Short mmCIF file of all heavy atoms in Angstrom, two decimals:
data_model
loop_
_atom_site.label_atom_id
_atom_site.label_comp_id
_atom_site.label_asym_id
_atom_site.label_seq_id
_atom_site.Cartn_x
_atom_site.Cartn_y
_atom_site.Cartn_z
N HIS A 1 136.18 159.72 105.51
CA HIS A 1 137.08 159.63 104.36
C HIS A 1 136.58 158.72 103.24
O HIS A 1 135.56 159.00 102.64
CB HIS A 1 138.53 159.33 104.80
CG HIS A 1 138.75 158.07 105.57
ND1 HIS A 1 139.00 156.88 104.98
CD2 HIS A 1 138.76 157.84 106.90
CE1 HIS A 1 139.17 155.95 105.91
NE2 HIS A 1 139.03 156.51 107.07
N VAL A 2 137.26 157.63 102.91
CA VAL A 2 136.93 156.85 101.71
C VAL A 2 135.57 156.17 101.77
O VAL A 2 135.06 155.73 100.75
CB VAL A 2 138.01 155.78 101.40
CG1 VAL A 2 139.32 156.43 101.05
CG2 VAL A 2 138.16 154.80 102.54
N HIS A 3 134.96 156.11 102.92
CA HIS A 3 133.65 155.46 103.04
C HIS A 3 132.55 156.26 102.34
O HIS A 3 131.45 155.77 102.16
CB HIS A 3 133.29 155.22 104.50
CG HIS A 3 134.25 154.33 105.20
ND1 HIS A 3 134.42 153.00 104.87
CD2 HIS A 3 135.13 154.59 106.19
CE1 HIS A 3 135.34 152.47 105.64
NE2 HIS A 3 135.79 153.41 106.46
N ARG A 4 132.85 157.48 101.94
CA ARG A 4 131.85 158.33 101.29
C ARG A 4 131.92 158.26 99.76
O ARG A 4 131.23 158.99 99.08
CB ARG A 4 132.05 159.78 101.72
CG ARG A 4 131.89 159.95 103.22
CD ARG A 4 131.89 161.36 103.57
NE ARG A 4 130.53 161.83 103.31
CZ ARG A 4 130.03 162.95 103.69
NH1 ARG A 4 130.77 163.77 104.35
NH2 ARG A 4 128.81 163.30 103.41
N LEU A 5 132.76 157.41 99.21
CA LEU A 5 132.94 157.37 97.76
C LEU A 5 131.68 156.97 97.00
O LEU A 5 131.44 157.43 95.89
CB LEU A 5 134.07 156.39 97.38
CG LEU A 5 135.47 156.86 97.74
CD1 LEU A 5 136.47 155.76 97.40
CD2 LEU A 5 135.82 158.13 97.01
N HIS A 6 130.90 156.09 97.57
CA HIS A 6 129.72 155.59 96.87
C HIS A 6 128.61 155.36 97.89
O HIS A 6 128.86 154.84 98.97
CB HIS A 6 130.06 154.26 96.18
CG HIS A 6 128.95 153.73 95.35
ND1 HIS A 6 127.97 152.91 95.87
CD2 HIS A 6 128.64 153.90 94.04
CE1 HIS A 6 127.11 152.60 94.90
NE2 HIS A 6 127.50 153.17 93.79
N PRO A 7 127.38 155.73 97.57
CA PRO A 7 126.28 155.59 98.54
C PRO A 7 125.73 154.17 98.64
O PRO A 7 124.57 153.91 98.43
CB PRO A 7 125.22 156.55 97.98
CG PRO A 7 125.45 156.52 96.51
CD PRO A 7 126.94 156.37 96.34
N TYR A 8 126.58 153.22 98.96
CA TYR A 8 126.17 151.82 99.11
C TYR A 8 125.25 151.71 100.32
O TYR A 8 125.59 152.13 101.42
CB TYR A 8 127.42 150.95 99.29
CG TYR A 8 127.16 149.49 99.43
CD1 TYR A 8 126.75 148.75 98.33
CD2 TYR A 8 127.31 148.84 100.64
CE1 TYR A 8 126.51 147.39 98.44
CE2 TYR A 8 127.07 147.49 100.76
CZ TYR A 8 126.68 146.77 99.66
OH TYR A 8 126.44 145.43 99.77
N LYS A 9 124.05 151.19 100.13
CA LYS A 9 123.03 151.23 101.18
C LYS A 9 123.25 150.25 102.33
O LYS A 9 122.69 150.40 103.39
CB LYS A 9 121.64 150.96 100.57
CG LYS A 9 121.23 152.01 99.55
CD LYS A 9 121.12 153.36 100.17
CE LYS A 9 120.67 154.39 99.15
NZ LYS A 9 120.88 155.73 99.57
N GLY A 10 124.08 149.22 102.13
CA GLY A 10 124.25 148.22 103.17
C GLY A 10 125.48 148.40 104.02
O GLY A 10 125.89 147.49 104.72
N LYS A 11 126.10 149.58 103.98
CA LYS A 11 127.37 149.71 104.69
C LYS A 11 127.19 149.97 106.18
O LYS A 11 126.20 150.54 106.62
CB LYS A 11 128.27 150.73 104.03
CG LYS A 11 127.77 152.13 103.96
CD LYS A 11 128.80 152.98 103.24
CE LYS A 11 128.18 154.19 102.63
NZ LYS A 11 129.11 154.99 101.90
N PHE A 12 128.20 149.52 106.92
CA PHE A 12 128.27 149.77 108.35
C PHE A 12 128.85 151.15 108.60
O PHE A 12 129.61 151.67 107.80
CB PHE A 12 129.20 148.76 109.04
CG PHE A 12 128.72 147.36 109.03
CD1 PHE A 12 129.34 146.42 108.23
CD2 PHE A 12 127.66 146.96 109.83
CE1 PHE A 12 128.91 145.11 108.23
CE2 PHE A 12 127.22 145.65 109.82
CZ PHE A 12 127.85 144.72 109.03
N ILE A 13 128.57 151.70 109.75
CA ILE A 13 129.22 152.91 110.20
C ILE A 13 130.65 152.51 110.55
O ILE A 13 130.87 151.57 111.31
CB ILE A 13 128.50 153.51 111.42
CG1 ILE A 13 127.08 153.92 111.04
CG2 ILE A 13 129.27 154.67 112.00
CD1 ILE A 13 126.22 154.30 112.23
N PRO A 14 131.66 153.18 110.00
CA PRO A 14 133.05 152.79 110.25
C PRO A 14 133.41 152.71 111.73
O PRO A 14 134.17 151.83 112.14
CB PRO A 14 133.88 153.87 109.56
CG PRO A 14 132.96 154.52 108.61
CD PRO A 14 131.58 154.34 109.11
N GLN A 15 132.85 153.59 112.55
CA GLN A 15 133.16 153.58 113.98
C GLN A 15 132.70 152.28 114.63
O GLN A 15 133.32 151.81 115.59
CB GLN A 15 132.51 154.77 114.68
CG GLN A 15 133.15 156.09 114.35
CD GLN A 15 132.56 156.75 113.11
OE1 GLN A 15 131.85 156.13 112.33
NE2 GLN A 15 132.89 158.01 112.90
N LEU A 16 131.62 151.68 114.14
CA LEU A 16 131.13 150.42 114.70
C LEU A 16 132.12 149.30 114.41
O LEU A 16 132.47 148.52 115.30
CB LEU A 16 129.75 150.09 114.11
CG LEU A 16 129.07 148.84 114.67
CD1 LEU A 16 128.80 148.99 116.16
CD2 LEU A 16 127.78 148.59 113.91
N VAL A 17 132.61 149.23 113.18
CA VAL A 17 133.60 148.22 112.81
C VAL A 17 134.88 148.44 113.62
O VAL A 17 135.44 147.49 114.19
CB VAL A 17 133.89 148.26 111.29
CG1 VAL A 17 134.99 147.28 110.93
CG2 VAL A 17 132.63 147.98 110.50
N GLU A 18 135.32 149.69 113.71
CA GLU A 18 136.52 150.01 114.47
C GLU A 18 136.36 149.59 115.93
O GLU A 18 137.29 149.05 116.54
CB GLU A 18 136.79 151.51 114.38
CG GLU A 18 138.01 151.98 115.13
CD GLU A 18 138.19 153.49 115.06
OE1 GLU A 18 137.20 154.22 114.80
OE2 GLU A 18 139.31 153.93 115.29
N TYR A 19 135.18 149.82 116.51
CA TYR A 19 134.92 149.45 117.90
C TYR A 19 135.19 147.97 118.13
O TYR A 19 135.81 147.59 119.12
CB TYR A 19 133.46 149.78 118.25
CG TYR A 19 133.04 149.35 119.64
CD1 TYR A 19 133.24 150.19 120.73
CD2 TYR A 19 132.45 148.11 119.85
CE1 TYR A 19 132.86 149.81 122.00
CE2 TYR A 19 132.07 147.72 121.13
CZ TYR A 19 132.28 148.56 122.20
OH TYR A 19 131.91 148.17 123.46
N PHE A 20 134.74 147.12 117.21
CA PHE A 20 134.91 145.69 117.41
C PHE A 20 136.30 145.18 117.03
O PHE A 20 136.73 144.14 117.52
CB PHE A 20 133.83 144.91 116.64
CG PHE A 20 132.49 145.04 117.29
CD1 PHE A 20 131.50 145.82 116.72
CD2 PHE A 20 132.22 144.40 118.49
CE1 PHE A 20 130.26 145.96 117.33
CE2 PHE A 20 130.99 144.53 119.12
CZ PHE A 20 130.00 145.31 118.53
N LEU A 21 137.00 145.89 116.17
CA LEU A 21 138.32 145.45 115.74
C LEU A 21 139.46 145.98 116.61
O LEU A 21 140.48 145.30 116.75
CB LEU A 21 138.59 145.88 114.29
CG LEU A 21 137.73 145.26 113.20
CD1 LEU A 21 138.20 145.74 111.83
CD2 LEU A 21 137.74 143.74 113.27
N ASP A 22 139.32 147.17 117.18
CA ASP A 22 140.45 147.76 117.89
C ASP A 22 140.72 147.05 119.21
O ASP A 22 140.01 146.14 119.60
CB ASP A 22 140.29 149.27 118.05
CG ASP A 22 139.24 149.68 119.06
OD1 ASP A 22 138.75 148.83 119.84
OD2 ASP A 22 138.89 150.88 119.08
N SER A 23 141.78 147.49 119.89
CA SER A 23 142.25 146.76 121.07
C SER A 23 141.72 147.28 122.40
O SER A 23 142.18 146.85 123.45
CB SER A 23 143.79 146.78 121.08
OG SER A 23 144.24 148.12 121.16
N HIS A 24 140.75 148.19 122.38
CA HIS A 24 140.23 148.72 123.65
C HIS A 24 139.21 147.75 124.26
O HIS A 24 138.63 146.91 123.56
CB HIS A 24 139.59 150.10 123.46
CG HIS A 24 138.13 150.03 123.15
ND1 HIS A 24 137.66 149.70 121.90
CD2 HIS A 24 137.04 150.21 123.94
CE1 HIS A 24 136.33 149.69 121.94
NE2 HIS A 24 135.94 150.00 123.16
N VAL A 25 139.00 147.85 125.56
CA VAL A 25 137.92 147.14 126.24
C VAL A 25 137.13 148.17 127.03
O VAL A 25 137.64 149.22 127.40
CB VAL A 25 138.44 146.02 127.18
CG1 VAL A 25 139.03 144.87 126.39
CG2 VAL A 25 139.43 146.53 128.19
N ASP A 26 135.85 147.88 127.27
CA ASP A 26 135.00 148.76 128.07
C ASP A 26 133.93 147.90 128.72
O ASP A 26 134.04 146.68 128.75
CB ASP A 26 134.42 149.89 127.21
CG ASP A 26 133.55 149.40 126.06
OD1 ASP A 26 133.00 148.27 126.13
OD2 ASP A 26 133.41 150.15 125.08
N GLY A 27 132.87 148.53 129.22
CA GLY A 27 131.82 147.79 129.91
C GLY A 27 131.09 146.80 129.02
O GLY A 27 130.58 145.79 129.50
N SER A 28 131.03 147.04 127.72
CA SER A 28 130.34 146.14 126.80
C SER A 28 131.29 145.19 126.08
O SER A 28 130.94 144.07 125.77
CB SER A 28 129.57 146.94 125.74
OG SER A 28 128.58 147.72 126.36
N LYS A 29 132.47 145.65 125.80
CA LYS A 29 133.48 144.84 125.09
C LYS A 29 134.56 144.49 126.12
O LYS A 29 135.43 145.27 126.41
CB LYS A 29 134.05 145.65 123.93
CG LYS A 29 135.10 144.92 123.12
CD LYS A 29 135.62 145.84 122.02
CE LYS A 29 136.90 145.32 121.45
NZ LYS A 29 137.53 146.28 120.54
N THR A 30 134.46 143.29 126.66
CA THR A 30 135.33 142.91 127.77
C THR A 30 136.62 142.22 127.34
O THR A 30 137.49 141.98 128.16
CB THR A 30 134.57 142.01 128.76
OG1 THR A 30 134.09 140.87 128.04
CG2 THR A 30 133.40 142.76 129.39
N GLU A 31 136.72 141.84 126.08
CA GLU A 31 137.96 141.26 125.58
C GLU A 31 138.13 141.61 124.10
O GLU A 31 137.19 142.02 123.44
CB GLU A 31 137.99 139.74 125.78
CG GLU A 31 136.83 138.98 125.16
CD GLU A 31 136.85 137.51 125.56
OE1 GLU A 31 137.80 136.80 125.18
OE2 GLU A 31 135.91 137.09 126.25
N THR A 32 139.36 141.47 123.63
CA THR A 32 139.64 141.78 122.23
C THR A 32 139.93 140.49 121.49
O THR A 32 140.34 139.48 122.09
CB THR A 32 140.84 142.74 122.10
OG1 THR A 32 141.99 142.14 122.66
CG2 THR A 32 140.55 144.05 122.79
N TYR A 33 139.70 140.52 120.19
CA TYR A 33 139.87 139.31 119.38
C TYR A 33 140.88 139.49 118.26
O TYR A 33 141.30 138.51 117.65
CB TYR A 33 138.52 138.92 118.78
CG TYR A 33 137.49 138.60 119.84
CD1 TYR A 33 136.57 139.57 120.25
CD2 TYR A 33 137.47 137.37 120.47
CE1 TYR A 33 135.65 139.30 121.24
CE2 TYR A 33 136.55 137.08 121.47
CZ TYR A 33 135.65 138.06 121.85
OH TYR A 33 134.74 137.79 122.84
N PHE A 34 141.26 140.72 117.97
CA PHE A 34 142.16 140.98 116.85
C PHE A 34 143.33 141.82 117.29
O PHE A 34 143.21 142.67 118.16
CB PHE A 34 141.41 141.71 115.72
CG PHE A 34 140.17 141.00 115.28
CD1 PHE A 34 138.92 141.43 115.68
CD2 PHE A 34 140.26 139.89 114.44
CE1 PHE A 34 137.77 140.76 115.29
CE2 PHE A 34 139.12 139.22 114.04
CZ PHE A 34 137.87 139.66 114.46
N LYS A 35 144.47 141.57 116.65
CA LYS A 35 145.65 142.39 116.90
C LYS A 35 146.35 142.65 115.57
O LYS A 35 146.06 141.99 114.56
CB LYS A 35 146.59 141.73 117.91
CG LYS A 35 147.17 140.41 117.45
CD LYS A 35 147.98 139.78 118.57
CE LYS A 35 148.59 138.46 118.18
NZ LYS A 35 147.72 137.46 117.62
N LYS A 36 147.22 143.61 115.58
CA LYS A 36 147.97 143.98 114.38
C LYS A 36 148.60 142.72 113.78
O LYS A 36 149.17 141.90 114.49
CB LYS A 36 149.05 145.00 114.77
CG LYS A 36 149.64 145.74 113.64
CD LYS A 36 150.56 146.83 114.15
CE LYS A 36 150.92 147.74 113.00
NZ LYS A 36 151.58 148.94 113.45
N GLY A 37 148.45 142.58 112.46
CA GLY A 37 149.02 141.42 111.76
C GLY A 37 148.07 140.26 111.59
O GLY A 37 148.34 139.35 110.80
N ASP A 38 146.96 140.24 112.34
CA ASP A 38 145.97 139.17 112.17
C ASP A 38 145.31 139.27 110.80
O ASP A 38 145.45 140.27 110.10
CB ASP A 38 144.89 139.25 113.26
CG ASP A 38 145.33 138.69 114.59
OD1 ASP A 38 146.43 138.10 114.66
OD2 ASP A 38 144.58 138.86 115.57
N ILE A 39 144.55 138.24 110.45
CA ILE A 39 143.81 138.22 109.19
C ILE A 39 142.32 138.05 109.50
O ILE A 39 141.94 137.16 110.25
CB ILE A 39 144.27 137.08 108.27
CG1 ILE A 39 145.76 137.23 107.95
CG2 ILE A 39 143.45 137.06 106.98
CD1 ILE A 39 146.35 136.02 107.20
N ILE A 40 141.51 138.88 108.88
CA ILE A 40 140.05 138.79 109.01
C ILE A 40 139.50 138.34 107.67
O ILE A 40 139.93 138.82 106.62
CB ILE A 40 139.45 140.17 109.36
CG1 ILE A 40 139.87 140.58 110.76
CG2 ILE A 40 137.93 140.15 109.24
CD1 ILE A 40 139.42 141.97 111.14
N LEU A 41 138.53 137.45 107.69
CA LEU A 41 137.82 137.05 106.48
C LEU A 41 136.45 137.71 106.51
O LEU A 41 135.68 137.53 107.46
CB LEU A 41 137.65 135.53 106.39
CG LEU A 41 136.75 135.03 105.27
CD1 LEU A 41 137.35 135.38 103.91
CD2 LEU A 41 136.51 133.54 105.39
N ASP A 42 136.15 138.51 105.50
CA ASP A 42 134.83 139.14 105.37
C ASP A 42 134.17 138.51 104.15
O ASP A 42 134.45 138.89 103.02
CB ASP A 42 134.97 140.65 105.21
CG ASP A 42 133.62 141.36 105.22
OD1 ASP A 42 132.58 140.68 105.10
OD2 ASP A 42 133.61 142.60 105.33
N PRO A 43 133.27 137.54 104.36
CA PRO A 43 132.67 136.82 103.23
C PRO A 43 131.64 137.63 102.44
O PRO A 43 131.20 137.19 101.39
CB PRO A 43 132.04 135.60 103.88
CG PRO A 43 131.76 136.02 105.28
CD PRO A 43 132.84 137.02 105.64
N PHE A 44 131.27 138.79 102.95
CA PHE A 44 130.33 139.68 102.25
C PHE A 44 130.91 141.09 102.33
O PHE A 44 130.41 141.94 103.06
CB PHE A 44 128.95 139.62 102.90
CG PHE A 44 128.44 138.21 103.07
CD1 PHE A 44 128.52 137.56 104.29
CD2 PHE A 44 127.91 137.54 101.98
CE1 PHE A 44 128.06 136.27 104.43
CE2 PHE A 44 127.45 136.23 102.11
CZ PHE A 44 127.53 135.59 103.34
#
């Protein structure tokens, strides 16, 4: 969706960001750090 608006060369794949932000756990992600309502600071 909106990630295709501009061909910015330094962007992450949205699924990668979603993987680290969402609430699932698996063999590599053993705990979660964010929940609905939290605030994330993205300095770049």
